[in-house]
Amino acid sequence: MKGNLQEAAVILGVSLTTMRKYVLDGMPYEQKGTQGKQWVLNIPDCVQWAKNQAVANAVGDVAQADMEELKKRKLAADTTVAEVEAAKKRGEVIYIEDAVKIRTAEVLAAKARLLSIPARIDHVVAGSTDRRFCRQVITDELYGALEELATGSIDVEAVFPEV
């Protein structure tokens, strides 16, 4: 079905001015209007074009929206990385793998500290027959080691310099 701008405007429910804008925006036509000649439009093609434009306006240009969304996500990711790096330099954050290494080293240092107790106290309790004295020396050493662990004052670097 063919028609002119006025007929297409009525069918689409828009003004003649809007129809002229549509044609300038890319609405298909079969013949351009000139002095004395009317525009010739394929009305079903015009309706489809208007429908496609309405969908594009409602949801945006999908390809462009995807690209814009990707750009926003990349910018957000880059910003997050920069913020984390800055926080790390300020000593406010630590990477998980670094925290695991440090915690593992702390546990191993605590283990080494606890296992060193017998060697450190054997000369103190050697030959003593006072069970209370021996128990107190052992208890003091254990509490000292546990206090170091609890307060984080174990010198991990002294035990494991590579950490």
Side-chain angles (χ1 to χ4, degrees):
M1 170 180 165
K2 302 206 187 304
N4 60 30
L5 286 178
Q6 183 65 41
E7 292 167 335
V10 170
I11 291 170
L12 294 173
V14 297
S15 69
L16 190 55
T17 303
T18 300
M19 277 306 297
R20 288 188 183 106
K21 181 182 178 313
Y22 283 177
V23 170
L24 291 174
D25 289 344
M27 178 178 273
Y29 60 87
E30 291 186 10
Q31 179 181 328
K32 185 176 183 178
T34 58
Q35 289 276 356
K37 288 191 174 184
Q38 296 216 0
W39 288 81
V40 178
L41 303 149
N42 181 321
I43 301 297
D45 290 347
C46 293
V47 170
Q48 186 62 46
W49 181 90
K51 181 178 158 185
N52 292 344
Q53 289 300 111
V55 169
N57 290 337
V59 299
D61 182 6
V62 177
Q64 186 65 22
D66 289 342
M67 183 57 80
E68 287 302 314
E69 180 62 25
L70 290 173
K71 286 179 183 177
K72 286 179 185 177
R73 290 172 75 181
K74 181 173 182 348
L75 179 60
D78 290 345
T79 301
T80 300
V81 168
E83 289 172 350
V84 169
E85 286 297 322
K88 184 177 183 202
K89 287 179 182 174
R90 291 189 304 267
E92 297 172 348
V93 298
I94 186 169
Y95 290 120
I96 292 172
E97 56 270 12
D98 293 340
V100 168
K101 287 178 187 175
I102 291 168
R103 187 67 184 143
T104 300
E106 287 174 343
V107 169
L108 292 174
K111 178 182 175 184
R113 170 71 165 84
L114 290 170
L115 291 175
S116 73
I117 290 174
R120 288 204 337 261
I121 65 169
D122 67 347
H123 69 281
V124 175
V125 295
S128 176
T129 57
D130 185 351
R131 292 181 67 192
R132 284 170 60 202
F133 170 75
C134 291
R135 182 177 292 154
Q136 188 61 49
V137 170
I138 294 169
T139 301
D140 289 348
E141 284 293 321
L142 286 172
Y143 274 103
L146 293 172
E147 183 66 24
E148 287 180 19
L149 179 60
T151 61
S153 61
I154 292 176
D155 188 1
V156 173
E157 291 178 1
V159 179
F160 299 99
E162 67 277 359
V163 176

